[in-house]
Amino acid sequence: MDFKKAYWIALVATFALASCSTTPTGTGQPATLPVEQTRGMDKAPESLSVARAQINAQATPEFRINLTLAWAAEYLQQQRPEDAEQLLADLSPASLTTEKRFQWILLSGRAALAQQNAAPAVELLNRYQEEIQQYPVEQQAQLDLLRADALAMEGQLIDSLQQRVAAHPLLNDQDQDYNHEMIWQLLMQLSPQELASAIQSSSGDLRGWLTLAQLYRDPIADLDAQVSRLDQWSAQWRTHPAISDVPAMLDALKEAASHRPSQVAILLPTSGPLQNVGKTLQEGIMTAHYQQKQNSLSPTLRFYDSGPDNILAVYQQAINDGADFVLGPLSKEKAATIAAQGTLPVTTLALNYIETDQVPENFFQFGLAPEDEARQIARQGVREGSNQAGILYPKGDWGERVAQAFAEEWQNLHGTVTVSRAYQEGPDIGETVEELLLVAQSEARGKEVSRFTNLDMDIEPRRRQDMDFLFLIANPNQGRQVKPALNFHFAKDLPVYSTSLIYSGESNPRRDQDLNGIRFVDMPWIIGDQSSDLHKVAAEQWPDGHGRYERLYAMGIDAYRLQSRLYLLNTLPSSELPGATGRLQMRNQQVVRRLDWAVFMRGEAKAMPQVANPSNSLSAQ
């Protein structure tokens, strides 16, 4: 499931020091105060000191309070939580009416969470707990969700779920829709082990949510068994808030079961320059096949070498041998050759993306496209409330292509690319970063102004201020040059987002210290729970791993799983497969991945579950 509204979302780490971000709770409406209280209020000044001066100049204490709350909410909307916090700190809670104190608590808690600090929000809620219990239920529910987000930020995902489920009946319809989706998002973040443990210790609606998520997320379950289990769930949980989701899931699963292939032909290069890639994919496929075979019926697999030039002959041979599903080929050109044949005799899942929108209705595509990662980062930036982004990418066609994918998605979502620069790896990276940030121009302007005044001017160089974050495309070696250069040129506080390219996949704390603070997307197989049964099987079979091919191994796992789930993804838009390479969904006959988030901390890549917490605004009162 995706969010229904694009508000200010952030990334919340399970670790106290990780970066975070937020999505909205409550109605998500802009902060408003009664008209008679807001008349004469201008937009919040850019300068915090000017804002304070204007507030202090107001004639009455009531107007000063109203202006402080309104401008604090506005600063939160502008992603200026530190300024919001300072304004709110100017108010004495004891001097506020009960209504104003509710607004002050809500805004103060949101300001704390927006600064990746859950503890002050929890402390605030605890301090006023007795008073909060006297608030109207709608206000209590908003503060309950604030607590739920604080708990999630502290890594207490089960506790956060309990809070959300308990608050759900008290919410209005719009809030329930939002909370419903956020409960599901949290459930998707739990590991299989956490889900199983939580089910054993839970009851009521929470247990219903957990068991449904466990059923839904099982990527190796037999489809017939999954249908039966869904029927049983529906019978047991007739009044559950999630009951409306089940009929569509049941119908799609039944249809998917009837479309299961019995013989899968796998076209991979076992000769030629891509044979190592083909070998790794094959190992991933076989790992998933043997794991599923232990639990359910599985198809017969036949492998064919797609290395030879005549891919159509190989494809036809697979059909002649009885294949009712074809997995592959890997090469873009060979996949395009098959797609150009028009209607295909069997469903075909190519392991790459081709450069055309006109494909047969039973031709699908799956791969590890970095462009998808770039688009996901763009969407995340919008959810965080960002408007302006910079792009820094390596010179060459590949870097330009990924940068262009980000820019197009960002601009389609009404974002602005304020600056875009290509860099060459080496000693010139520092100069490119300085140029990107306009540091030299800032210093020059300061010196020019100082020539025409006898005042002592602050001419310390500054970076440009028209970037909410930087989208960086870089491998680990390049990133270790770029991030220190950003820090040196006064951009240490500039958020930096990157693709999975930034992480080698192997822990290297000493070298990766220079990447600290960079947030990036990557597949669950790399940054997720490493204690799963599948990880254990992989470690036993290949104790040395697959090195730089590790992500391709994960792709092989998902490629195999897709052969039985492709119909489901294609016919039920809300369905997804929790895969090793990401959360897989179908869009225009292409399997697209939603990856997990991570951040470099102390030279280590730390997973960052994406969860929700309060947004930038108060609900209309």
Side-chain angles (χ1 to χ4, degrees), residues 265-485:
I266 302 170
L267 281 53
L268 288 174
T270 57
S271 62
L274 293 178
Q275 62 179 333
N276 288 336
V277 173
K279 179 176 181 291
T280 304
L281 285 167
Q282 180 175 337
E283 290 173 352
I285 289 169
M286 293 308 297
T287 299
H289 175 67
Y290 284 126
Q291 186 193 39
Q292 185 182 59
K293 200 170 183 178
Q294 298 171 4
N295 298 283
S296 63
L297 296 174
S298 56
T300 299
L301 305 186
R302 288 195 175 185
F303 289 85
Y304 298 81
D305 183 9
S306 64
D309 292 336
N310 193 353
I311 189 61
L312 291 179
V314 177
Y315 185 84
Q316 188 59 50
Q317 183 61 55
I319 303 302
N320 294 342
D321 290 342
D324 54 358
F325 190 100
V326 172
L327 188 58
L330 178 63
S331 160
K332 277 180 180 285
E333 294 75 15
K334 293 176 180 178
T337 298
I338 292 174
Q341 302 310 299
T343 303
L344 299 175
V346 300
T347 299
T348 300
L349 176 62
L351 297 178
N352 214 323
Y353 300 100
I354 62 177
E355 307 293 333
T356 179
D357 295 329
Q358 301 299 319
V359 297
E361 64 178 9
N362 59 347
F363 180 87
F364 300 89
Q365 303 160 67
F366 170 57
L368 305 182
E371 292 90 340
D372 281 345
E373 300 181 20
R375 296 184 189 103
Q376 179 176 341
I377 292 169
R379 292 190 294 271
Q380 182 62 35
V382 170
R383 288 172 179 144
E384 290 179 1
S386 300
N387 299 304
Q388 299 172 309
I391 306 174
L392 187 60
Y393 62 93
K395 289 183 179 179
D397 292 342
W398 183 88
E400 289 181 9
R401 192 172 73 247
V402 179
Q404 185 64 27
F406 171 85
E408 288 177 356
E409 184 78 4
W410 182 244
Q411 291 164 349
N412 287 340
L413 296 169
H414 308 294
T416 300
V417 177
T418 54
V419 59
S420 180
R421 290 288 185 276
Y423 66 86
Q424 187 75 45
E425 187 172 358
D428 294 335
I429 280 186
E431 293 180 10
T432 304
V433 169
E434 184 178 18
E435 178 188 355
L436 174 92
L437 297 172
L438 296 179
V439 174
Q441 290 89 327
S442 167
E443 187 174 17
R445 284 195 299 271
K447 290 180 179 178
E448 186 67 20
V449 170
S450 68
R451 292 174 53 196
F452 299 99
T453 178
N454 59 0
L455 299 176
D456 291 332
M457 300 297 295
D458 178 9
I459 59 172
E460 180 180 346
R462 293 179 171 85
R463 69 166 176 89
R464 65 191 306 155
Q465 297 298 309
D466 57 355
M467 273 192 290
D468 296 320
F469 69 93
L470 175 67
F471 174 51
L472 170 65
I473 306 169
N475 63 33
N477 287 333
Q478 294 162 339
R480 294 178 191 120
Q481 297 175 67
V482 170
K483 189 58 167 72

Side-chain angles (χ1 to χ4, degrees), residues 15 96 109 177 203 242 268 315 325 424 434 585 591 594 601:
F15 307 94
L96 303 178
D177 287 343
S203 60
L268 288 174
Y315 185 84
F325 190 100
Q424 187 75 45
E434 184 178 18
Q585 290 183 300
V591 179
R594 182 155 27 135
M601 297 168 51

Side-chain angles (χ1 to χ4, degrees), residues 283 287 290-291 294 525 530-546 550 553 557:
E283 290 173 352
T287 299
Y290 284 126
Q291 186 193 39
Q294 298 171 4
W525 185 257
Q530 302 295 302
S531 64
S532 70
D533 292 341
L534 199 58
H535 274 93
K536 292 175 183 175
V537 170
E540 290 173 1
Q541 294 179 336
W542 293 280
D544 295 329
H546 292 84
E550 191 66 31
Y553 177 77
I557 294 171

Side-chain angles (χ1 to χ4, degrees), residues 95-252:
S95 67
L96 303 178
T97 64
T98 300
E99 174 63 25
K100 298 306 178 187
R101 190 153 51 242
F102 159 71
Q103 296 178 19
W104 177 81
I105 293 170
L106 188 60
L107 288 170
S108 297
R110 289 173 172 174
L113 295 188
Q115 296 176 78
Q116 305 113 42
N117 198 351
V122 173
E123 191 277 331
L124 194 63
L125 292 169
N126 290 341
R127 189 193 322 160
Y128 290 96
Q129 184 60 34
E130 290 187 10
E131 179 178 320
I132 290 171
Q133 290 174 352
Q134 307 305 313
Y135 289 169
V137 291
E138 296 84 0
Q139 293 182 351
Q140 289 187 45
Q142 289 189 57
L143 296 176
D144 284 343
L145 296 187
L146 180 71
R147 184 185 295 274
D149 291 315
L151 290 168
M153 188 179 294
E154 292 182 325
Q156 301 178 54
L157 300 188
I158 298 297
D159 291 340
S160 179
L161 277 167
Q162 290 174 334
Q163 188 79 49
R164 284 194 180 279
V165 171
H168 195 78
L170 303 176
L171 302 172
N172 61 38
D173 290 345
Q174 186 178 6
D175 289 352
Q176 283 191 344
D177 287 343
Y178 167 76
N179 195 46
H180 183 118
E181 295 220 13
M182 297 320 303
I183 289 171
W184 198 251
Q185 290 290 335
L186 281 175
L187 290 167
M188 293 301 103
Q189 301 303 326
L190 294 172
S191 70
Q193 294 81 4
E194 288 174 320
L195 264 179
S197 175
I199 288 171
Q200 294 299 317
S201 60
S202 64
S203 60
D205 281 352
L206 177 59
R207 186 181 180 88
W209 279 110
L210 292 164
T211 53
L212 181 62
Q214 185 184 55
L215 189 164
Y216 175 81
R217 288 181 54 185
D218 189 346
I220 63 172
D222 177 78
L223 289 169
D224 293 326
Q226 211 164 3
V227 168
S228 176
R229 290 165 59 197
L230 260 179
D231 277 330
Q232 294 171 9
W233 189 95
S234 298
Q236 182 180 357
W237 301 96
R238 295 181 185 278
T239 61
H240 194 276
I243 194 68
S244 59
D245 298 331
V246 175
M249 294 171 66
L250 269 171
D251 290 343

